Amino acid sequence: MANSNPEIKYTQIFINNEFVNAVSGKTFPTINPSTGKKIADIAEGDKADVDLAVKAAKAAFDRKSTWRQMDATARAKLLYKLAELMERDLHYLASLESLDNGKPYMNAVYEVYGSVYSLRYSAGWADKISGETVPSDGPHLTYTRKEPVGVVGQIIPWNYPMLMLSWKWGPALAMGCTIVMKPAEQTPLTALYLCSLAKEAGFPPGVINMVPGYGPTAGNAITVHPDIRKIAFTGSVEVGKIIMAGAAGTLKKVSLELGGKSPLVICDDVDVDEAAKIAYAGVFENMGQCCVAATRTFVQEGIYDAFVKKATELAQSRKVGCPFSQDTQHGPQVDETQFKKILGYIEIGKKEGAKLETGGGQVGTEGYFIQPTVFSNVTDEMTIAKEEIFGPVQSIIKFKTLDEVIERANSTQFGLAAGIVTKNIDNALVFSNAVEAGTVWVNTYLAGAAQAPFGGYKQSGIGREMGREGMELYLETKTVSIKLPSKV
Ligand code: NAI
Ligand code: MG
């Protein structure tokens, strides 16, 4: 069950299946966002530690290593075992995440379930990826092999720490790569505990390595390391660009899952209450700290006023409080930086003329809680309609026609997700085809599936994680031609 004071078992860097201090001896605090107080000191990795982790991962990837000699079905078995151990420790993991990240306990429980589900999905691919026989000219037998890309660097954010880890570990391990990962500095605790579970599951030393630390130090060392062949990153567009530039020096393969300013279009043929509920969940889920958050709510003029009224009521009904209280729906923002940034955007929204319908301020005096906030009369030019806020702020924008709203939905550099709520099948299809987004939801929002590829158009990213395409990120293709005695 929920435990607001879970034992902190692991705070060190994980290399070669051992927990060790940073070479520098440095540590950094991880903070409880509900109180602003320190939970624990974590070993602070930097270049020296990344070098050691890469050395371990490289040795584990040696062609004669246990890992490389292992059958694909055995790799899958290790992943299934890890998933099973996560289920065993469900309540501990969820408690640890609620403490470190601030998300309501039940949301953390769902995150564990989602992580388990995605690990099992990836495990299933381990022995199902194959090359092909190629009908080449001449007396040759030509075929392709799908081989693991090698040591991979993975850098993850703090909004869904366990899910983002699973989305990156699962495909990389199923395909036979070895890993050096950096968790977000705000949320290192579950990542370190999951390393202990990976060891318990039986992953050989060096296959999984975890170096907590900061972006410009540990993160950069991963990005530029010559022995890392691929980098997978989830986080801000700004850092995505830094990583792509940093990876250029060693021509690493790069996959990026970045931010968004996702449009959700509500047509006037729908039930206003139902539509408002979809929009509410789409924007306030995880305190608005969601890459796909529906932060541009476009509502057709005929139902605009009724929608604003309902959206305001829903936001006001949202229960903000301690992540460990049973009735809490909404916890604190992850840290002080995000908290201040969001309140800053709210001030800009007011200044630029949006109408604050509800919220707008801090809840209580301790920790980083922000009221669910609704703005109406938002226009496309306003900062709050253009920039990713990553907080509980809904911007309701008016539109007249579907054609017009498609243009407006697409007039952004982002393209992660989009949604439409309508009873008109033609509108749903036209919008789904025309909108520039990696994921489109119709009459729902946030429905996720490990089986489906996920990623962004435009500056929302490069590549697709999960689904079959997610496996390809971790593979090289090799063509082999063998001389035959004759063509037949
Ligand atoms: P961030 O992009 O700075 O952090 C994500 C990860 O990248 C963390 O592990 C961080 O340590 C690492 N990192 C930072 N600088 C790096 C560098 N120079 N080299 C290598 N790794 C580096 O995101 P941050 O600062 O936590 O949040 C800022 C904004 O980013 C948020 O307000 C939100 O708009 C967006 N964001 C988007 C996420 C998504 O899911 N797409 C997740 C987290 C943040
Ligand atoms: Mg940052």
Side-chain angles (χ1 to χ4, degrees), residues 109-317:
V109 166
Y110 288 128
E111 190 179 336
V112 179
Y113 285 141
S115 306
V116 163
Y117 157 68
S118 74
L119 284 176
R120 289 198 171 119
Y121 171 78
S122 293
W125 274 114
D127 62 353
K128 290 168 196 68
I129 297 275
S130 57
E132 52 187 7
T133 315
V134 180
S136 63
D137 289 350
H140 295 110
L141 165 61
T142 301
Y143 62 91
T144 59
R145 281 167 54 79
K146 293 286 187 183
E147 298 182 355
V149 73
V151 178
V152 300
Q154 303 183 322
I155 300 176
I156 56 170
W158 43 261
N159 53 344
Y160 291 93
M162 292 180 282
L163 191 68
M164 293 300 96
L165 177 148
S166 306
W167 278 23
K168 290 194 171 40
W169 277 16
L173 296 169
M175 296 303 104
C177 295
T178 60
I179 295 172
V180 176
M181 175 176 268
K182 191 192 87 59
E185 56 272 28
Q186 295 87 346
T187 53
L189 293 177
T190 50
L192 293 173
Y193 186 72
L194 289 169
C195 289
S196 80
L197 293 189
K199 180 177 177 176
E200 185 181 344
F203 282 95
V207 170
I208 296 170
N209 304 277
M210 186 69 69
V211 185
Y214 292 102
T217 49
N220 182 255
I222 291 174
T223 308
V224 302
H225 201 293
D227 290 332
I228 293 183
R229 303 284 174 230
K230 181 220 158 33
I231 188 144
F233 169 76
T234 300
S236 60
V237 172
E238 181 196 357
V239 173
K241 290 177 185 177
I242 294 174
I243 287 190
M244 196 161 170
T250 47
L251 280 179
K252 285 183 183 58
K253 275 112 195 114
V254 175
S255 56
L256 304 170
E257 197 269 278
L258 310 174
K261 193 74 195 170
S262 299
L264 172 59
V265 171
I266 316 281
C267 299
D268 62 10
D269 57 13
V270 300
D271 180 278
V272 172
D273 288 4
E274 286 305 310
K277 278 184 202 154
I278 293 172
Y280 160 83
V283 74
F284 293 116
E285 176 68 23
N286 208 35
M287 292 70 76
Q289 303 167 141
C290 218
C291 53
V292 293
T295 49
R296 288 187 293 153
T297 311
F298 286 101
V299 180
Q300 205 158 11
E301 55 185 0
I303 57 165
Y304 188 85
D305 293 339
F307 183 94
V308 169
K309 185 164 175 282
K310 185 66 194 174
T312 304
E313 283 167 18
L314 285 170
Q316 285 166 345
S317 74

Side-chain angles (χ1 to χ4, degrees), residues 387-456:
E387 295 181 13
E388 186 173 47
I389 300 174
F390 231 61
V393 182
Q394 183 173 35
S395 294
I396 311 181
I397 313 172
K398 198 180 282 184
F399 79 94
K400 283 193 170 75
T401 69
L402 186 69
D403 261 349
E404 161 218 323
V405 81
I406 287 171
E407 296 306 313
R408 293 169 65 190
N410 284 341
S411 66
T412 165
Q413 285 310 312
F414 294 114
L416 194 59
I420 184 164
V421 184
T422 179
K423 296 281 177 232
N424 182 322
I425 185 77
D426 291 346
N427 285 351
L429 287 169
V430 167
F431 179 81
S432 305
N433 287 355
V435 73
E436 296 163 345
T439 295
V440 182
W441 285 296
V442 178
N443 293 336
T444 183
Y445 205 86
L446 297 179
Q451 298 90 340
F454 181 81

